[in-house]
Amino acid sequence: MHTTPPFTLFPGSRNWKSAALAAVLFLAGLSLSGQSADSLQIRKIFDESLLRGRSYDWLNHLSNQIGGRLSGSVQAKQAVEYTKKELEALGLDRVWLQPVMVPKWVRGTSEFAYIESEPGNTNNVPICALGGSVATPVGGIKAGVVEVQGIEQLQQLDREEVEGKIVFFNRPMDASLINTFQAYGGCVDQRHGGAEAAARMGAVGVIVRSMNLRLDDYPHTGSMSYGDLPESQRIPAAAISTNGAELLSTTLKLNPGIKFFFRQYCRQMADVLSYNVIGEIRGSEFPEEIMVVGGHLDSWDLGDGSHDDGAGCVQSMEVLRLLKATGYRPKRTLRVVLFMNEENGLRGGNKYAQEALNAGEKHVFALESDAGGFTPRGFSFDCTPEAFDRIVAWKPLFEPYLIHQFIRGGSGADIGPLKPQGLVLSGLRPDSQRYFDHHHAETDTFEAINRRELELGAAAMASLVYLCDRYGLPDQPGLRK
């Protein structure tokens, strides 16, 4: 087989050292040329988002015209209709709804609670029912209180110490941790599994300190589970504000004989039909390879779900608009998925993954935004070392925008079910310091959104999608192999 001599690209180079130097410079020039093209495209993406972005206006409508979008609610249905219409207006190649049955839990009349130091001497405290909890009896529950710092400490007590009482889980988020999601992960088990553990020891109710680093008067809801407990053994569970938790704990130390009263009217209803909202741009070269970007369309009902996760939804929609507006035609099929029911069931994420598997689709990359609409700091990646090495080489392209934290780690709840199919998973990582001030509380409103931060996040996501599409990613271990 004929081969070209190594330095014939440089006929004027008579000396082999000068020829080698010329070759290095030539290849470096090609590399710099590629980086320059990428830098220009990314600059166009950021300019389009910051100057003509649509994400903020979309979120304004979701938050202020529709409101909290609890799975199975009228507002969730309105959000499906609105986002489908907006995606169609972008002129995508295809927009459709993917049916999924979701749970319908209803909060009912506002909750009420007080601490009774002695008969007739009470202090009201803010609470809210945890998502999925049963109601109290119509007249409420009043009982003594046992305070614990977590499920492990509860299980070390004798049953007699717990039976007939309300268990108060009061382990706070660890303020020493810079990553506030780590702090959240360190104590959220008491919210999710505390009622089951307490019920098994004969408790009549559960009160959980809100997952919030700040001391305020806003209780934060969230999902909880009774495990395999029969309905007859399930006990009501509520979150108490951090100020309320401090007051309850202090009062209990001064007077262990105090009583706590709370009343809530929530109930679980039959599952209802809802939808994932999906839109796509068909790939120009490798249409069978699918790249997903998304967030979850449902939210809790106390606020309007602007940060969790309206922001992630509109940013994901904006990714497709930004690439179209800057004239970039993806090589691979780019799909936006607005998942339903992440907060209290993950039905949408599981349904999408199952349908993709049934259809034999080949997903190569998925990016989720579900950590708030704050200033983007970088991305986390669930992938092989080989894939991460390729991705981290793009980090200098993001550094001018101060988006430079590229780490291996988790991605997102809704795209997680895709992992067995073999693909790179990623999560947008915004600054997390203010996130849990709003998470699952009535303070999660549009007023807490900064337009520029939201738009920077959308541009960062679009830039990462652009690079993954242009250069491709190594295969991951998975079922499709």
Side-chain angles (χ1 to χ4, degrees):
M1 181 175 67
H2 176 73
T3 58
T4 304
F7 302 119
T8 53
L9 285 172
F10 309 97
S13 301
R14 298 181 180 277
N15 182 280
W16 73 269
K17 290 184 179 180
S18 60
L21 178 61
V24 169
L25 292 174
F26 176 76
L27 294 174
L30 289 178
S31 175
L32 290 172
S33 175
Q35 287 187 5
S36 177
D38 293 334
S39 296
L40 289 173
Q41 174 61 23
I42 290 172
R43 180 71 259 182
K44 286 168 65 177
I45 288 171
F46 273 85
D47 285 349
E48 178 65 27
S49 185
L50 294 172
L51 299 175
R52 293 170 291 277
R54 296 286 306 281
S55 57
Y56 190 75
D57 293 334
W58 285 329
L59 186 56
N60 184 10
H61 186 98
L62 273 179
S63 300
N64 292 323
Q65 301 304 313
I66 296 176
R69 304 168 297 281
L70 189 58
S71 171
S73 66
V74 171
Q75 291 85 353
K77 180 176 182 293
Q78 292 171 338
V80 166
E81 295 167 351
Y82 171 69
T83 51
K84 178 176 183 287
K85 181 188 72 172
E86 292 300 314
L87 287 175
E88 288 171 339
L90 294 181
L92 305 181
D93 294 325
R94 185 185 175 205
V95 177
W96 72 100
L97 301 181
Q98 184 177 69
V100 56
M101 296 300 292
V102 299
K104 182 177 177 67
W105 177 83
V106 179
R107 183 174 300 280
T109 307
S110 295
E111 304 87 343
F112 177 71
Y114 61 75
I115 302 167
E116 183 183 82
S117 301
E118 57 186 34
N121 186 359
T122 63
N123 287 294
N124 294 354
V125 287
I127 68 161
C128 66
L130 293 179
S133 174
V134 298
T136 61
V138 175
I141 289 175
K142 183 161 69 173
V145 180
V146 56
E147 178 180 348
V148 294
Q149 293 296 301
I151 294 174
E152 285 188 15
Q153 185 178 355
L154 170 67
Q155 293 172 337
Q156 291 170 5
L157 301 178
D158 294 331
R159 184 181 178 89
E160 292 73 24
E161 298 177 81
V162 177
E163 197 164 19
K165 292 186 178 180
I166 294 170
V167 173
F168 170 37
F169 289 98
N170 192 33
R171 184 166 79 253
M173 292 175 66
D174 186 349
S176 70
L177 295 171
I178 303 303
N179 183 337
T180 62
F181 282 89
Q182 270 187 285
Y184 175 74
C187 60
V188 73
D189 64 322
Q190 62 189 348
R191 187 196 76 198
H192 191 264
E196 179 188 1
R200 293 187 186 281
M201 296 186 69
V204 296
V206 159
I207 298 295
V208 182
R209 183 189 184 98
S210 287
M211 305 293 108
N212 180 12
L213 283 159
R214 186 172 67 177
L215 289 175
D216 62 26
D217 295 316
Y218 300 102
H220 295 227
T221 191
S223 62
M224 52 84 63
S225 171
Y226 292 108
D228 58 0
L229 276 178
E231 289 189 20
S232 61
Q233 296 179 27
R234 297 179 181 183
I235 60 177
I240 186 170
S241 72
T242 47
N243 276 339
E246 293 290 296
L247 177 62
L248 177 56
S249 181
T250 300
T251 307
L252 191 60
K253 287 179 175 64
L254 294 172
N255 180 7
I258 64 169
K259 304 288 187 182
F260 190 88
F261 171 87
F262 74 112
R263 183 177 63 228
Q264 57 192 39
Y265 298 94
C266 47
R267 61 189 176 124
Q268 190 74 46
M269 304 176 74
D271 288 357
V272 299
L273 178 64
S274 190
Y275 302 91
N276 293 329
V277 184
I278 308 174
E280 73 176 23
I281 300 172
R282 187 77 171 162
S284 58
E285 294 183 30
F286 313 108
E288 74 287 352
E289 296 185 7
I290 299 170
M291 302 174 63
V292 165
V293 58
H296 64 85
L297 195 51
D298 64 304
S299 75
W300 286 107
D301 56 323
L302 298 180
D304 59 45
S306 287
H307 276 295
D308 187 20
D309 183 33
C313 287
V314 298
Q315 286 173 329
S316 299
M317 294 165 65
E318 181 76 339
V319 167
L320 272 66
R321 192 197 71 81
L322 290 173
L323 294 176
K324 280 179 65 71
T326 55
Y328 180 73
R329 176 66 178 173
K331 297 179 180 181
R332 294 160 180 84
T333 294
L334 178 55
R335 188 177 287 176
V336 57
V337 184
L338 309 182
F339 298 94
M340 184 56 69
N341 183 232
E342 185 271 349
E343 292 292 5
N344 59 338
L346 206 66
R347 302 274 187 90
N350 287 324
K351 179 63 177 288
Y352 179 82
Q354 187 59 54
E355 290 294 312
L357 186 63
N358 293 344
E361 292 182 335
K362 180 182 180 181
H363 285 73
V364 295
F365 177 70
L367 169 62
E368 184 167 344
S369 173
D370 185 18
F374 299 103
T375 302
R377 298 299 187 198
F379 300 92
S380 59
F381 299 92
D382 184 354
C383 62
T384 62
E386 293 76 17
F388 185 69
D389 287 344
R390 181 174 301 184
I391 292 164
V392 81
W394 302 329
K395 184 177 171 181
L397 294 166
F398 291 85
E399 288 178 347
Y401 307 95
L402 303 181
I403 303 168
H404 50 270
Q405 295 176 0
F406 282 49
I407 60 171
R408 292 187 67 194
S411 54
D414 280 304
I415 61 175
L418 287 168
K419 184 174 181 178
Q421 299 179 32
L423 72 164
V424 173
L425 301 175
S426 178
L428 177 68
R429 292 291 167 250
D431 185 284
S432 71
Q433 302 311 313
R434 291 169 287 157
Y435 182 64
F436 289 98
D437 296 352
H438 309 284
H439 182 251
H440 297 179
E442 67 176 86
T443 55
D444 186 4
T445 62
F446 188 68
E447 288 70 28
I449 295 289
N450 177 282
R451 179 172 194 147
R452 189 170 179 84
E453 291 179 326
L454 183 74
E455 292 170 344
L456 286 168
M461 293 168 66
S463 299
L464 179 62
V465 168
Y466 155 73
L467 291 167
C468 291
D469 177 66
R470 182 178 182 191
Y471 295 105
L473 293 165
D475 272 343
Q476 306 292 290
L479 298 180
R480 63 181 173 85
K481 296 186 74 176

